[in-house]
Amino acid sequence: NYFTRRDARIPLEHEIKNAGMEAQIFGGLDKLTKAIFASTWKLKDGTPIKCERMLIDANWGQSTNVVYEFCRRSEFAAMILPSHGRYVGASSKPMQEWERKPGERAGHNWRTTVARRGLRAMMYDTNSWKSWIASRILTKPGDPGAFGLWGKDPERHRMIADHLSSEYRVRTTGRGRTCDEWHLKPGRDNHLWDAIVGSAVAASFAGMPPSPTTTQQVGAIPIEAKKKDRQSFAALQRAARDKKRSA
């Protein structure tokens, strides 16, 4: 139920034997995608659902080429996209203001593009989407958009809880923009946290809109409306008399 990256009991080389690193990654992705796309889950009302869209992190330099090649050759190629999380800080230009190139599709702090490898890829703002997931976790259970974990056994969820709390956010302002910037706590694993964030982006790409409770830009501080200047009752009376006399 619990392990870290350093003490994983079943490393990839035990699953994909007699192979180099690239072949191990390719074989591991093949086994994992087949298992996920063959699985069926049930909603609360019993409706069965299957995976419709999958993103595969291609940011790790040593695996980028393998991930792209796998996405190109997989039998599920129509449902898989390589993905790149981008650190868009307060001093950076927001993703929605990026120049949109021909063939790109833009959504809620994400966009797809045609990569140099001739394959469509996903890019998304990690800071904004982490803030969105954090807001879902902090939403009261039962309210729209609340993030919950199945079952009631704390030990079952200790590992994912540690990953969900592996980073902290710093609210930062730069160039007239304010947003959360997320940082990893020393010595912590954050892989499941990253996977949940990527899953939220994939759901958005598949057509699931953001929660109705989050109409503001993800990760940004909403701009408060200016308060109307308050007037005393006496001032209102004087204004009414002046208006009457002028009429």
Side-chain angles (χ1 to χ4, degrees), residues 22-209:
E22 290 81 5
Q24 289 175 3
I25 294 172
F26 196 101
L29 289 173
D30 185 53
K31 282 192 172 186
L32 182 59
T33 52
K34 286 179 177 177
I36 291 176
F37 282 112
S39 299
T40 301
W41 292 268
K42 289 186 178 181
L43 300 178
K44 288 185 178 181
D45 62 2
T47 302
I49 58 172
K50 284 183 170 291
C51 179
E52 297 178 9
R53 178 66 61 180
M54 179 185 292
L55 303 182
I56 300 180
D57 186 357
N59 263 0
W60 186 41
Q62 298 182 63
S63 67
T64 300
N65 291 334
V66 181
V67 170
Y68 272 78
E69 185 64 21
F70 175 79
C71 292
R72 183 181 293 107
R73 293 170 53 185
S74 171
E75 62 185 282
F76 308 106
M79 296 180 283
I80 294 176
L81 285 177
S83 67
H84 298 273
R86 297 296 191 223
Y87 188 93
V88 182
S91 60
S92 306
K93 180 185 291 188
M95 183 168 282
Q96 62 267 24
E97 296 180 8
W98 290 8
E99 180 184 356
R100 191 165 176 178
K101 300 176 182 178
E104 289 186 343
R105 175 181 168 187
H108 204 64
N109 286 310
W110 58 259
R111 62 174 55 198
T112 61
T113 182
V114 178
R116 63 182 182 274
R117 297 169 181 83
L119 189 70
R120 186 180 293 273
M122 168 70 75
M123 292 188 298
Y124 61 93
D125 180 349
T126 55
N127 280 321
S128 64
W129 276 100
K130 286 177 180 180
S131 293
W132 188 83
I133 290 293
S135 70
R136 302 302 91 219
I137 295 172
L138 296 174
T139 298
K140 184 179 179 181
D143 286 349
F147 177 95
L149 297 172
W150 175 85
K152 298 180 180 180
D153 181 7
E155 185 61 26
R156 179 187 295 272
H157 299 307
R158 184 166 64 93
M159 179 175 167
I160 193 171
D162 279 355
H163 284 235
L164 289 174
S165 59
S166 62
E167 297 187 7
Y168 64 94
R169 56 182 164 185
V170 177
R171 188 146 287 183
T172 308
T173 300
R175 297 184 179 180
R177 178 172 178 262
T178 300
C179 71
D180 294 333
E181 294 183 351
W182 288 83
H183 305 276
L184 180 64
K185 298 175 183 177
R188 297 287 295 272
D189 282 353
N190 66 343
H191 312 297
L192 299 181
W193 165 242
D194 280 345
I196 290 173
V197 170
S199 295
V201 177
S204 177
F205 178 70
M208 180 181 293

